[in-house]
Amino acid sequence: MNSFQFVNPTHIVFGEGTANQVGQLTAKHGKTVLLVYGSGSVKKTGLYDKTVSLLQDAGVTVHELPNIEPNPRLSTVNKGIAICREQSVDFILAVGGGSVIDAAKAIAAGVPYDGDVWDFFTGKAVIEKALPIGTILTLAATGSEMNGSSVVTNWEENLKRAFGSSHTYPKFSILDPTLTYTVPRNHTVNGAVDIMSHVFEQYFSLTENTPLQERFCESILQTVIENVELALENPEHAAARANLMWSGTMALNGGMISVGMANDWASHGIEHEVSAIYDIPHGAGLAVIFPNWMKYVHEERIDRFVQYATRVWGVNPAGKSDQEIALEGIQATRDFFTRIGAESRLADFEIGSEKLDRMAEEAVRYGAIGSFKRLEKQDVKAILELSL
Ligand SMILES: NC(=O)c1ccc[n+]([C@@H]2O[C@H](COP(=O)([O-])OP(=O)(O)OC[C@H]3O[C@@H](n4cnc5c(N)ncnc54)[C@H](O)[C@@H]3O)[C@@H](O)[C@H]2O)c1
């Protein structure tokens, strides 16, 4: 295990009915709020009306930025920055999934910065301060509700980039699993794949002597596997929705499950290049890329893949070589994603080979990616080719 420090400042308020606390939680941090949300579900479910009235009852002035896109765009973030400056907003409340929360973080970082907020995504500048934000989460997936990361798409340049900062952790996040009852089938699937992928990025590591971290990872994977089909069969399955929601938060809350371990994140980097051009949902892209990344890299550390196959998927190792066991675990991953309804090929999104070179080149724009196996442009291209 490597040396590490771990801090996570986000106050989590978990459980049915907790959205009723949004007024008092927000009023602790700000008086003039930008309410950031997507294009439909919060209005349909009544969460929008309820939130506005709770904020007003708490004496908070509310300004709004609706219509955050899935895969939020830089142009929308800039609109939010302008509103905050014009209206002297002192707190941002995100109500939605990862896209809404990520947009809120980018706005929060952009408001006190004199330059272009995109600088934080390209590494040209480092975030030194940000407006405080809070969230009401409506979709179990990204972990953005308890981490400092944001992913934004610069649509004009077809670039999807991320930043991570200690200044953009939410002050609080309200996690009411009943708010996810309305999440449609495809986004429930994408969310589950995203949660599992976050764990994979941390679990497939070359760092030695990390048994507790590995078991944290395995337990999240098992919990998602056990619960996602229950939520798909019955979208109002209270226990399944609660378990998925907490799994999503734990899978990526600033690295708690993988402290002291090298992380990989190459598959996320590759997926970002795909969705930057084709605007496909993040989880859907990961369901295609990840099993192919696994096939491509598993020989780097076969014992971790054997452990994954046997502990997570219950592969019986008797009479099999390590290679056979590892491949059985990878196939079990692919089969599971397919069984819950995730796509398995880029062709399912009508993506062909035309832009593979550009995607591979952009993925390694700042150098080789990944730590489990360092991937150069030709490796990324090979994984994308396997994914066609
Ligand atoms: N910040 C991070 O740590 C992090 C990690 C992984 C991914 N991401 C990014 O997050 C984005 C994806 O976020 P996401 O997976 O949470 O999805 P999302 O926020 O894009 O939402 C997906 C869809 O679900 C709908 N939706 C959300 N809640 C709903 C509800 N309760 N009922 C009905 N519909 C609902 C939204 O309107 C949207 O159409 C991508 O841009 C991805 O790159 C961020």
Side-chain angles (χ1 to χ4, degrees):
M1 194 186 319
N2 303 325
S3 304
F4 67 87
Q5 294 192 29
F6 180 73
V7 177
N8 192 314
T10 302
H11 174 191
I12 295 291
V13 183
F14 188 101
E16 182 170 356
T18 46
N20 291 328
Q21 297 178 39
V22 70
Q24 72 214 57
L25 286 165
T26 301
K28 279 189 200 165
H29 299 281
K31 283 264 160 252
T32 309
V33 170
L34 183 70
L35 178 61
V36 181
Y37 56 95
S39 52
S41 75
V42 291
K43 288 218 165 152
K44 271 188 229 140
T45 59
L47 181 60
Y48 166 85
D49 286 336
K50 185 165 137 180
T51 303
V52 170
S53 105
L54 287 163
L55 290 173
Q56 287 170 343
D57 289 351
V60 169
T61 304
V62 181
H63 300 278
E64 295 191 15
L65 180 65
N67 299 323
I68 303 295
E69 310 83 1
N71 294 335
R73 298 191 180 182
L74 179 61
S75 51
T76 310
V77 167
N78 278 322
K79 273 189 213 158
I81 293 171
I83 300 171
C84 288
R85 288 180 180 155
E86 278 157 23
Q87 304 296 342
S88 304
V89 163
D90 57 9
F91 188 79
I92 302 175
L93 180 68
V95 182
S99 293
V100 172
I101 300 173
D102 284 7
K105 289 176 182 173
I107 296 166
V111 172
Y113 178 58
D114 285 337
D116 180 351
V117 68
W118 189 243
D119 292 348
F120 298 134
F121 293 91
T122 57
K124 199 172 151 196
V126 173
I127 297 169
E128 282 171 5
K129 54 185 168 179
L131 288 185
I133 76 161
T135 85
I136 302 179
L137 182 66
T138 64
L139 172 57
T142 65
S144 189
E145 65 277 10
M146 201 178 178
N147 69 41
S149 303
S150 169
V151 187
V152 164
T153 300
N154 180 335
W155 190 242
E156 287 65 36
E157 294 187 34
N158 285 138
L159 295 175
K160 187 175 189 184
R161 294 280 182 268
F163 71 57
S165 167
S166 60
H167 298 285
T168 46
Y169 276 71
K171 295 291 173 205
F172 66 80
S173 280
I174 294 175
L175 273 54
D176 177 349
T178 67
L179 298 177
T180 66
Y181 287 175
T182 52
V183 175
R185 195 177 175 87
N186 60 336
H187 289 304
T188 301
V189 170
N190 294 340
V193 172
D194 194 28
I195 297 168
M196 292 177 69
S197 300
H198 291 158
V199 176
F200 295 151
E201 300 282 18
Q202 300 168 81
Y203 179 72
F204 293 109
S205 171
L206 299 181
T207 311
E208 301 285 351
N209 184 30
T210 54
L212 178 61
Q213 294 90 323
E214 291 154 40
R215 288 191 174 94
F216 277 146
C217 289
E218 289 155 0
S219 64
I220 293 174
L221 293 171
Q222 286 167 319
T223 305
V224 174
I225 293 163
E226 283 165 13
N227 284 278
V228 67
E229 285 170 293
L230 297 174
L232 291 173
E233 275 156 30
N234 171 13
E236 301 196 7
H237 195 300
R241 290 294 195 182
N243 289 326
L244 288 174
M245 190 171 239
W246 189 229
S247 295
T249 305
M250 289 302 286
L252 197 58
N253 64 354
M256 199 278 282
I257 60 170
S258 67
V259 288
M261 291 172 86
N263 285 196
D264 191 81
W265 296 105
S267 300
H268 267 69
I270 299 171
E271 195 290 320
H272 285 176
E273 298 311 330
V274 179
S275 50
I277 296 179
Y278 296 101
D279 203 16
I280 65 172
H282 176 63
L286 287 168
V288 174
I289 305 283
F290 235 117
N292 292 315
W293 174 87
M294 290 177 173
K295 277 189 206 151
Y296 194 78
V297 307
H298 70 278
E299 284 173 354
E300 295 297 308
R301 181 170 187 178
I302 196 97
D303 62 310
R304 180 56 47 85
F305 273 90
V306 168
Q307 180 179 319
Y308 169 66
T310 52
R311 288 197 193 169
V312 175
W313 294 109
V315 170
N316 178 357
K320 295 172 194 159
S321 67
D322 282 357
Q323 174 79 352
E324 284 167 333
I325 300 164
L327 289 176
E328 222 177 292
I330 296 169
Q331 190 58 44
T333 315
R334 174 69 272 154
D335 292 346
F336 176 71
F337 286 169
T338 302
R339 192 165 75 238
I340 61 176
E343 287 80 1
S344 59
R345 301 171 57 210
L346 292 175
D348 296 330
F349 302 97
E350 295 175 7
I351 299 174
S353 57
E354 305 77 27
K355 298 204 167 148
L356 291 199
D357 257 316
R358 185 208 142 120
M359 291 191 272
E361 199 160 308
E362 281 296 339
V364 298
R365 165 184 269 236
Y366 304 114
I369 55 172
S371 69
F372 192 78
K373 178 179 173 72
R374 298 289 287 162
L375 302 179
E376 304 286 351
K377 181 183 167 189
Q378 69 274 13
D379 303 304
V380 174
K381 193 169 173 200
I383 292 168
L384 286 167
E385 277 165 350
L386 283 173
S387 306
L388 285 171

